[in-house]
Amino acid sequence: MNGGDEAGASGDLPQPLDWRFSQVFGERSAGEEVQEVDIISAIEFDKSGDHLATGDRGGRVVLFERTDYKNTSGARRDLEGTDYPLRHPEFRYKTEFQSHEPEFDYLKSLEIEEKINKIRWSQTANGALFLLSTNDKTIKFWKVQDKKIKKICDINTDPSKTLGNGSVASSSNSNSTNTCLTNGGLPDKVNNSLSNDFSLPPGGIPLLRLPVVTTSHETSPVARCRRVYTHAHDYHINSISNNSDGETFISADDLRINLWNLEISNQSFNIVDVKPANMEDLTEVITSAEFHPTHCNMLAYSSSKGSIRLIDLRQSALCDSHSKLFEDTETPSSRSFFTEIIASISDIKFAKEGRYILSRDYMTLKLWDINMDSGPVSTFQVHEHLRPKLCDLYENDSIFDKFECCLSGDGLRVSTGSYSNLFRVFGVSPGSTESTTLEASKNPMRRQVTTPSRPSRSLSSITRVVRRGAAESPGVDGNGNSFDHTTKLLHLAWHPTENSIACAAANSLYMYYA
């Protein structure tokens, strides 16, 4: 993938990774029922990898921060030179906030659910974290910053010296108690005593002191909504993506892509519009969109027909014409009723350096070189064993599940989810045979593929073998395990600098490292 050398001939192939369980948040016990609002619907690492955000169907955003090297003395480069290895990434809960609430569109008589569709981190500034979150209609820009806790100290009344009639005794030595109350609160005893008949001690209070607000050294993260971007999409938002310029971002729905400035919430520019004059002529919709990681003028979007279009914002204000089109043509003899459904791309991701695009359709992962539009450079079979079951999957709507994909920071591996809470990791180096199946559990390797196969660009022979195996045992998945379409791993993210993956299984967040 890097440089185009034939790594298979040189023998410099990276070794398959040994994945291990790291952490789990929100693990449910056996038989515990999962609440619909708790199911995770979005995962995203920030660019540094020090923070992780998740969104759920209840409209909440939960933030985690890395802790495994914060208390380590010495520079990371120095630690790498020592004999003992660095610890794997460990995260802890930081904070959570309610990003979206359920709404109702009275003009269209349409309920707008609070489910978080996407989360994208923005550039940090002055020690604060910034991120975008969106549901079907509304995008919000959040600032999360650690604030020092303010306390009220030096109150005259001493709650430890209450009299029997409910009055409060006070003395000139009230400095010794030095009662501190967080955020202006009062102890229950003080509230009770002051609510009754309050009497002054004989001779009055010798010294009257007003409460003093002091700032403690303790901090607490506080989330504040900075901007709300709304009323710009007639259809459900499926993607948001930050631009490398740090000032703009795009939002995409089924038919349009809008360009926003982070500082301007009441105006956006429509840059892609695929809505036909007559909706009966509609043949495809936009499924995902993403900015190029380094070129602020380039972005890509995918369609329900399995194509990816690369557009250049310098060409025109309305980018209806693409600069490049990537699609994998299928032979007419293999077409069926399900061909267009399974060809629909559910997610696209640019590699870190921006030369490659990873796409996920229902059956496969495809890796594209933006300099070569004749076809994908690699195709990885994910659901080929489900081809005989497409009728059943269509009946229960599972065929419309939208699986996400991700790439490692070094560009050597790709990953995506599957059913039965499984996810796959493939090596993309030329000649690599790495193909690992893991389960979102504390023992991820128990479903390890024993005989990995490397799908290449020429898939005819491999496809025939896999299809034959699936037909012989239609009740199992590609690894001989029972197939469960009700437990699906749709969302996952790869750490930007290390071999660490975070994935969501219902309401649980699992993390693995290699």
Side-chain angles (χ1 to χ4, degrees), residues 100-112:
H100 288 73
E101 300 280 357
E103 301 175 43
F104 189 82
D105 188 336
Y106 293 97
L107 293 177
K108 298 181 180 179
S109 297
L110 179 69
E111 289 185 2
I112 304 172

Side-chain angles (χ1 to χ4, degrees), residues 263-311:
E263 299 300 322
I264 303 173
S265 60
N266 60 357
Q267 184 182 38
S268 66
F269 297 95
N270 178 229
I271 56 175
V272 175
D273 189 347
V274 300
K275 183 178 180 180
N278 185 356
M279 286 296 285
E280 293 181 357
D281 299 330
L282 182 67
T283 58
E284 62 180 335
V285 296
I286 299 169
T287 57
S288 183
E290 180 156 318
F291 260 121
H292 191 280
T294 57
H295 299 319
C296 61
N297 57 288
M298 293 175 60
L299 64 94
Y301 69 91
S302 59
S303 79
S304 57
K305 277 195 169 182
S307 62
I308 301 174
R309 290 173 172 85
L310 193 67
I311 62 176

Side-chain angles (χ1 to χ4, degrees), residues 354-381:
R355 178 174 173 179
Y356 295 90
I357 299 176
L358 180 67
S359 67
R360 171 68 204 267
D361 56 47
Y362 189 73
M363 305 297 284
T364 65
L365 269 176
K366 291 186 175 75
L367 189 68
W368 309 79
D369 187 337
I370 64 173
N371 298 327
M372 186 182 75
D373 55 6
S374 58
V377 294
S378 296
T379 301
F380 309 94
Q381 297 293 343

Side-chain angles (χ1 to χ4, degrees), residues 30-49:
E32 181 182 353
E33 185 177 352
V34 179
Q35 299 296 321
E36 180 79 9
V37 295
D38 294 332
I39 296 177
I40 297 174
S41 56
I43 300 179
E44 184 79 3
F45 280 104
D46 70 348
K47 285 187 177 181
S48 68

Side-chain angles (χ1 to χ4, degrees), residues 133-164:
S133 63
T134 183
N135 65 353
D136 288 338
K137 295 291 184 181
T138 305
I139 308 163
K140 294 185 179 182
F141 185 48
W142 292 90
K143 177 183 180 180
V144 181
Q145 191 171 27
D146 288 336
K147 296 285 188 180
K148 290 186 176 181
I149 299 175
K150 293 184 178 180
K151 296 183 178 181
I152 296 179
C153 298
D154 294 333
I155 295 178
N156 272 90
T157 56
D158 185 356
S160 64
K161 299 179 180 179
T162 56
L163 302 180

Side-chain angles (χ1 to χ4, degrees), residues 1-303:
M1 180 172 171
N2 299 321
D5 296 332
E6 289 297 331
S10 63
D12 295 335
L13 290 176
Q15 294 297 317
L17 297 178
D18 179 23
W19 291 95
R20 301 180 183 181
F21 169 78
S22 173
Q23 289 174 281
V24 59
F25 296 94
E27 183 183 23
R28 63 183 187 275
S29 57
E32 181 182 353
E33 185 177 352
V34 179
Q35 299 296 321
E36 180 79 9
V37 295
D38 294 332
I39 296 177
I40 297 174
S41 56
I43 300 179
E44 184 79 3
F45 280 104
D46 70 348
K47 285 187 177 181
S48 68
D50 293 341
H51 295 91
L52 175 67
T54 66
D56 61 27
R57 295 188 182 181
R60 296 180 298 259
V61 172
V62 183
L63 303 185
F64 302 89
E65 64 179 353
R66 188 167 178 177
T67 61
D68 55 291
Y69 58 74
K70 282 192 173 182
N71 297 324
T72 307
S73 59
R76 182 178 181 85
R77 185 176 298 175
D78 298 335
L79 292 173
E80 288 175 347
T82 58
D83 293 334
Y84 57 88
L86 285 173
R87 297 178 62 188
H88 62 83
E90 289 183 1
F91 287 78
R92 71 180 177 190
Y93 169 86
K94 181 178 178 69
T95 187
E96 68 179 273
F97 54 90
Q98 188 71 32
S99 174
H100 288 73
E101 300 280 357
E103 301 175 43
F104 189 82
D105 188 336
Y106 293 97
L107 293 177
K108 298 181 180 179
S109 297
L110 179 69
E111 289 185 2
I112 304 172
E113 62 180 355
E114 64 271 32
K115 172 192 168 188
I116 304 296
N117 290 341
K118 295 289 180 182
I119 295 175
R120 290 292 182 266
W121 290 91
S122 300
Q123 295 180 357
T124 60
N126 300 323
L129 303 174
F130 295 89
L131 53 88
L132 290 164
S133 63
T134 183
N135 65 353
D136 288 338
K137 295 291 184 181
T138 305
I139 308 163
K140 294 185 179 182
F141 185 48
W142 292 90
K143 177 183 180 180
V144 181
Q145 191 171 27
D146 288 336
K147 296 285 188 180
K148 290 186 176 181
I149 299 175
K150 293 184 178 180
K151 296 183 178 181
I152 296 179
C153 298
D154 294 333
I155 295 178
N156 272 90
T157 56
D158 185 356
S160 64
K161 299 179 180 179
T162 56
L163 302 180
N165 61 359
S167 62
V168 179
S170 179
S171 68
S172 60
N173 295 326
S174 59
N175 283 331
S176 62
T177 59
N178 195 24
T179 307
C180 288
L181 306 169
T182 304
N183 296 331
L186 287 171
D188 292 338
K189 287 185 178 181
V190 175
N191 281 328
N192 293 337
S193 62
L194 293 179
S195 62
N196 297 327
D197 295 332
F198 181 78
S199 59
L200 293 174
I205 298 177
L207 180 62
L208 178 63
R209 291 186 309 278
L210 294 176
V212 177
V213 178
T214 61
T215 303
S216 71
H217 295 291
E218 302 175 20
T219 60
S220 176
V222 177
R224 187 165 64 91
C225 185
R226 293 284 304 275
R227 301 278 189 280
V228 178
Y229 315 89
T230 187
H231 305 307
H233 288 278
D234 293 329
Y235 304 93
H236 290 178
I237 299 172
N238 55 48
S239 303
I240 51 175
S241 178
N242 282 304
N243 198 346
S244 58
D245 63 9
E247 297 179 357
T248 57
F249 71 93
I250 55 170
S251 58
D253 62 21
D254 292 341
L255 298 180
R256 293 186 177 93
I257 300 177
N258 293 332
L259 178 67
W260 301 82
N261 188 298
L262 283 169
E263 299 300 322
I264 303 173
S265 60
N266 60 357
Q267 184 182 38
S268 66
F269 297 95
N270 178 229
I271 56 175
V272 175
D273 189 347
V274 300
K275 183 178 180 180
N278 185 356
M279 286 296 285
E280 293 181 357
D281 299 330
L282 182 67
T283 58
E284 62 180 335
V285 296
I286 299 169
T287 57
S288 183
E290 180 156 318
F291 260 121
H292 191 280
T294 57
H295 299 319
C296 61
N297 57 288
M298 293 175 60
L299 64 94
Y301 69 91
S302 59
S303 79

Side-chain angles (χ1 to χ4, degrees), residues 28 403 418-422 483-489 505-506:
R28 63 183 187 275
F403 293 92
S418 181
Y419 294 104
S420 304
N421 282 343
L422 302 179
F483 163 71
D484 182 9
H485 68 84
T486 61
T487 55
K488 58 197 77 172
L489 198 152

